[in-house]
Amino acid sequence: MRSVAWLATYAALVLAPLLVSAATSGASSATFAVAFGAALGWAALGLLASEFALVTRVRAAAAAFGSDALLLFHRGMALSALVFVVVHAALLAPDPLAAWRSGALGRSGVVATAALLGLVASTIARRRLPWSYEAWLLAHRVLAVVVVAAMSAHAWSALAPDETAARWIAALYGALALGLLASQRLLRPWLLSRQPWEVVEVRDEGASTHTLVLRSTSGGAMAFAPGQFVWLATARRGGFAQEHPISIASSPELDSGRTIELAIKELGDWSREVAPALRPGDRVRVDGPFGAFTPDRVAAHRLVLIAGGVGVTPMRSMLLAMRDRGDRRPVTLFFAAHDRSRAMFAHEFETLRGQIDLELVFVFEAPDAGERCERGRVTADLLRRRLPADLRFTHFFVCGPTPMMEAVEEALCELGVPSARMHTERFDMV
Amino acid sequence: MHPRDVRTAAAIFALALAGAAAAVAWWSTGSQVDAPGSAEPAAPIDGGEAFARHCERCHARDEFTGALTGPDASQAVEELLELLQDHGASTPEEDRAIADWLRGPAQQH
């Protein structure tokens, strides 16, 4: 029901400009094609202003759908808005040069369309372009502001002075979008930086992984569900910078949430240089928790956790929570890695076998001689061999590199596992 | 949510929104998308009113009167009608009425 309520709210937000303009403008002598083009423009205004709401990190919305799902939906809506804008322009002003020369109305439309094209194209081609993630993110936000401002000005210009309600909708949506952006990028970071978390320990876990142990400086606790993540911002000269999503690796019961552990594997510039350089006493900014990837929200009699590489960190949180809560449900962890040296927390998981009803299955591509494990990858055959035949009331949690997750999802489909009992979290959100 | 389900939801939402836009357009134009010949004969259009509604926000009358009353007036009128076809929300009938009005009181129907 929670997700239905959020969907209804989002739909109302998107539809409002279109419906208000229809109600206030009334009958038109224009052709259907021209009226449709104008209506698509209003629909695009609602879509694009609402894009900011999808990525504003409202915890309740992220909990209902998952942050990675919201981001994927955000991309889908941007593509849809682009199609609407292109058709709108084709129907009302197919010659961009003539539109530019016609005055404020045409120029604002051309600017909004060009900025939107640039924004979508740069996102699609992000990994192929020679720029850092931070540079792309800055350009993305600047272009988004240009799109919204130009689009609102364009809508305002297209309306007669006596079309007051529609004009105010155009202005309000522009202000709403920019307000959401300012709230997320300026106000929220400022508020969070006043309650930083302190690094109390940095543990080398091997396998190119470090665990940051963080404690709240305000004395407050983070109430999170096992499997959720936070956005971690590390300080740089001049202020906090470089936010990254990191799964919480500790139990929610640890120090009643006043202490959390984040396991960071060296994968990119930040995780190789900035994170390992943190020292006890350093202050960081933590925003969260977020995510729907948690067994706390499902009624499962059995849990199957399938992890690849650093994807095991949310599973660690889940297993430690089961231990701390005395949860005796059977749980199977399939942990895939190249070999034992790259399987972080392997020894800890082996210890947990005596504390909870845990079946531990290591799946190594290149195991050491004499290693007791499955060889290769997680496949449908492997799952069929190691799991009971009756998988009713069993929920599956999958996290790891995208190719591995796609292969495991296919394998689970082969086993007849419905998508409602398959839970995934993708780290490569953008 | 599975990415496939998210993409499906996004596609459905976008199609529904496009459908809503089409419905609004159909309602506001009184279903002019119907077959030709089904419309009633239109009342005469006041070119001045049409100019005020579609053009006055960005243009003044005297931008055009010079060309439309000069020696190449008929050519200028054809070029204006061609421009109006692709520019703005006026109908072909309104375009003709606007052109006539811009040429002066003696040219109006």
Side-chain angles (χ1 to χ4, degrees):
Chain A
M1 279 310 295
R2 181 170 44 184
S3 54
V4 170
W6 278 111
L7 272 173
T9 303
Y10 175 75
L13 194 64
V14 171
L15 279 169
L18 176 64
L19 298 178
V20 167
S21 75
T24 55
S25 60
S28 165
S29 57
T31 61
F32 174 82
V34 167
F36 181 52
L40 283 180
W42 285 108
L45 176 75
L47 268 181
L48 288 167
S50 303
E51 284 286 79
F52 290 82
L54 289 173
V55 293
T56 299
R57 296 187 199 167
V58 176
R59 269 185 234 158
F65 300 104
S67 297
D68 49 350
L70 285 177
L71 203 58
L72 193 56
F73 192 77
H74 168 83
R75 296 182 75 175
M77 290 299 97
L79 278 171
S80 304
L82 180 61
V83 170
F84 287 6
V85 164
V86 167
V87 174
H88 165 82
L91 289 175
L92 297 184
D95 183 349
L97 283 177
W100 182 267
R101 285 194 292 263
S102 69
L105 176 63
R107 283 181 196 158
S108 54
V110 169
V111 168
T113 305
L116 182 59
L117 271 167
L119 190 150
V120 171
S122 63
T123 301
I124 291 172
R126 180 181 81 82
R127 293 181 201 277
R128 289 187 282 272
L129 292 171
W131 57 0
S132 66
Y133 171 75
E134 285 74 21
W136 168 82
L137 190 58
L138 178 62
H140 191 81
R141 287 171 178 155
V142 168
L143 285 172
V145 169
V146 171
V147 167
V148 166
M151 185 179 60
S152 296
H154 180 70
W156 183 280
S157 302
L159 297 161
D162 60 350
E163 295 182 274
T164 315
R167 274 195 149 189
W168 278 107
I169 281 281
L172 180 68
Y173 267 61
L176 175 71
L178 297 178
L180 285 170
L181 183 66
S183 164
Q184 188 196 338
R185 302 316 313 163
L186 297 174
L187 179 63
R188 191 185 180 97
W190 179 75
L191 289 172
L192 289 171
S193 64
R194 290 165 66 83
Q195 296 181 321
W197 288 62
E198 185 174 304
V199 178
V200 296
E201 185 184 352
V202 181
R203 284 200 303 264
D204 185 349
E205 305 288 354
S208 305
T209 301
H210 291 83
T211 293
L212 297 179
V213 181
L214 306 177
R215 189 173 174 85
S216 168
T217 60
S218 65
M222 178 171 290
F224 66 94
Q228 288 191 298
F229 71 94
V230 297
W231 288 88
L232 174 69
T234 51
R236 212 161 65 174
R237 202 177 304 161
F240 285 103
Q242 296 197 11
E243 272 189 318
H244 294 265
I246 308 289
S247 287
I248 303 173
S250 52
S251 164
E253 316 304 326
L254 175 66
D255 195 19
S256 304
R258 285 187 291 268
T259 298
I260 61 173
E261 295 181 351
L262 308 179
I264 302 171
K265 188 178 175 68
E266 294 172 19
L267 290 170
D269 292 342
W270 175 82
S271 54
R272 263 196 293 268
E273 294 164 12
V274 178
L278 290 169
R279 293 291 174 261
D282 287 344
R283 300 251 168 136
V284 296
R285 190 177 72 221
V286 176
D287 187 7
F290 298 99
F293 187 69
T294 175
D296 281 10
R297 299 215 165 94
V298 299
H301 289 190
R302 169 188 285 276
L303 296 172
V304 175
L305 314 179
I306 306 172
V310 72
V312 81
T313 50
M315 316 304 190
R316 179 178 184 264
S317 177
M318 294 176 193
L319 294 173
L320 292 176
M322 292 181 76
R323 177 199 64 189
D324 293 342
R325 295 168 177 174
D327 189 336
R328 301 302 302 173
R329 285 177 296 175
V331 54
T332 306
L333 171 64
F334 292 89
F335 186 4
H338 186 265
D339 54 55
R340 178 173 279 269
S341 70
R342 300 189 200 184
M344 63 206 75
F345 308 120
H347 179 67
E348 188 173 19
F349 293 139
E350 285 166 335
T351 304
L352 276 171
R353 274 190 298 204
Q355 300 170 334
I356 56 176
D357 187 359
L358 169 64
E359 185 190 359
L360 182 56
V361 181
F362 289 114
V363 185
F364 295 146
E365 289 184 78
D368 300 327
E371 178 78 60
R372 291 186 63 186
C373 67
E374 294 283 346
R375 191 186 177 100
R377 298 183 176 185
V378 178
T379 61
D381 284 338
L382 169 62
L383 294 172
R384 206 175 278 117
R385 271 193 293 110
R386 298 302 295 252
L387 293 174
D390 186 357
L391 294 177
R392 290 177 301 172
F393 308 113
T394 299
H395 281 255
F396 294 77
F397 289 82
V398 187
C399 188
T402 300
M404 172 227 155
M405 290 181 65
E406 287 171 356
V408 168
E409 282 164 343
E410 265 188 53
L412 291 176
C413 284
E414 250 186 77
L415 296 183
V417 177
S419 58
R421 285 197 269 120
M422 254 191 265
H423 311 275
T424 60
E425 178 132 285
R426 281 162 163 79
F427 282 92
D428 56 345
M429 292 184 191
V430 182
Chain B
M1 284 179 73
H2 194 279
R4 180 188 55 235
D5 297 334
V6 176
R7 289 189 194 102
T8 303
I12 291 172
F13 190 89
L15 284 171
L17 188 55
V24 164
W26 181 85
W27 170 79
S28 70
T29 58
S31 63
Q32 289 179 25
V33 71
D34 290 345
S38 63
E40 293 176 359
I45 296 171
D46 185 322
E49 276 185 20
F51 183 87
R53 188 164 56 248
H54 295 294
C55 315
E56 206 168 60
R57 269 198 295 282
C58 306
H59 301 285
R61 183 180 187 179
D62 56 14
E63 283 178 47
F64 306 94
T65 46
L68 295 174
T69 55
D72 298 318
S74 57
Q75 173 73 16
V77 166
E78 293 308 313
E79 288 175 357
L80 176 64
L81 290 173
E82 205 175 294
L83 177 76
L84 287 174
Q85 202 173 10
D86 296 328
H87 180 81
S90 51
T91 63
E93 294 74 23
E94 285 175 322
D95 293 346
R96 171 57 69 178
I98 288 170
D100 289 343
W101 180 77
L102 285 171
R103 292 174 68 192
Q107 304 300 328
Q108 291 182 33
H109 295 140

